[in-house]
């Protein structure tokens, strides 16, 4: 596999670890401010999906004869970068309210700035683009399909839970 694959995968793993630390810190601050953590938030399936993404990408890159760079690489990287930029913009718009969990801050208005002006769940769109673009860039077709399907299930469950929790907070 092309060395760029390993460098980009390592950078993505480091990014995710840093994000998990930031998210944990934000959860602590939000809870200290009176926020409520939604225990049934679908977090486990999201963690499993992202963990499996890394495992699947490594296994397919290592063993699949079709994996590698090709005419699909630049379009895949473009989709990946678009997803990463949308995720980053979404995180910036949420500021200290960004977490990987569902945490509801009572009486706080929904964030309506940044990409949230245009899309209800832009961070999840960014995640989907990233999880499609990265395997596409390196011809990891099994990872693209498998993780794409699993991510669709995970995000569908997560969005339902998030919307329900936010609606209940607004109603109270």
């Amino acid at each position: 596999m092309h060395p760029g694959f390993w460098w980009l995968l390592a950078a993505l793993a480091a990014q995710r670890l840093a994000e998990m630390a930031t998210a944990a810190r934000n959860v602590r601050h939000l809870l200290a401010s009176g926020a409520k953590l939604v225990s049934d938030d679908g977090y486990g399936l999201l963690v499993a999906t992202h963990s499996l993404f890394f495992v699947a990408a490594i296994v397919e890159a290592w063993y699949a004869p079709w994996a590698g760079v090709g005419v699909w690489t630049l379009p895949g990287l473009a989709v990946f970068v678009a997803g990463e930029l949308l995720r980053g913009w979404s995180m910036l718009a949420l500021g200290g309210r960004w977490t990987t969990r569902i945490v509801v801050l009572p009486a706080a208005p929904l964030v309506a700035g940044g990409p949230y002006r245009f899309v209800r769940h832009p961070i999840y769109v960014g995640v989907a683009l990233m999880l499609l673009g990265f395997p596409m860039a390196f011809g990891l077709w099994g990872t693209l399909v498998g993780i794409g399907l699993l991510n669709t299930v995970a995000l569908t469950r997560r969005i339902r839970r998030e919307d329900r929790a936010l609606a209940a907070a607004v109603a109270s």
Side-chain angles (χ1 to χ4, degrees):
M1 178 56 73
H2 190 275
F5 165 82
W6 301 107
W7 284 107
L8 190 56
L9 190 69
L12 192 57
Q15 175 192 38
R16 290 299 184 267
L17 291 173
E19 287 174 0
M20 289 180 74
T22 300
R25 184 184 72 237
N26 287 350
V27 167
R28 286 192 303 275
H29 288 129
L30 287 165
L31 293 177
S33 299
K36 306 289 184 225
L37 175 67
V38 176
S39 59
D40 182 25
D41 63 358
Y43 185 67
L45 185 55
L46 288 173
V47 170
T49 299
H50 285 260
S51 299
L52 188 57
F53 162 77
F54 285 98
V55 171
I58 290 168
V59 169
E60 191 171 10
W62 194 264
Y63 292 108
W66 56 82
V69 297
V71 296
W72 51 83
T73 300
L74 288 180
L77 287 174
V79 170
F80 171 78
V81 169
E84 286 292 285
L85 290 173
L86 183 55
R87 286 181 68 252
W89 188 21
S90 301
M91 289 177 196
L92 284 173
L94 290 171
R97 291 171 62 180
W98 174 78
T99 72
T100 54
R101 304 299 305 262
I102 298 175
V103 181
V104 179
L105 193 56
L110 290 177
V111 173
Y116 291 89
R117 287 182 296 211
F118 311 108
V119 180
R120 174 101 170 118
H121 296 285
I123 203 160
Y124 299 142
V125 173
V127 167
L129 291 172
M130 184 281 301
L131 289 175
L132 293 173
F134 185 91
M136 180 182 170
F138 297 102
L140 306 175
W141 309 119
T143 301
L144 188 147
V145 171
I147 296 301
L149 290 172
L150 185 57
N151 188 55
T152 300
V153 170
L155 288 182
T156 299
R157 291 178 69 230
R158 174 59 171 248
I159 289 169
R160 284 186 189 138
R161 287 170 165 87
E162 188 173 309
D163 285 347
R164 192 172 30 232
L166 291 173
V170 170
S172 58

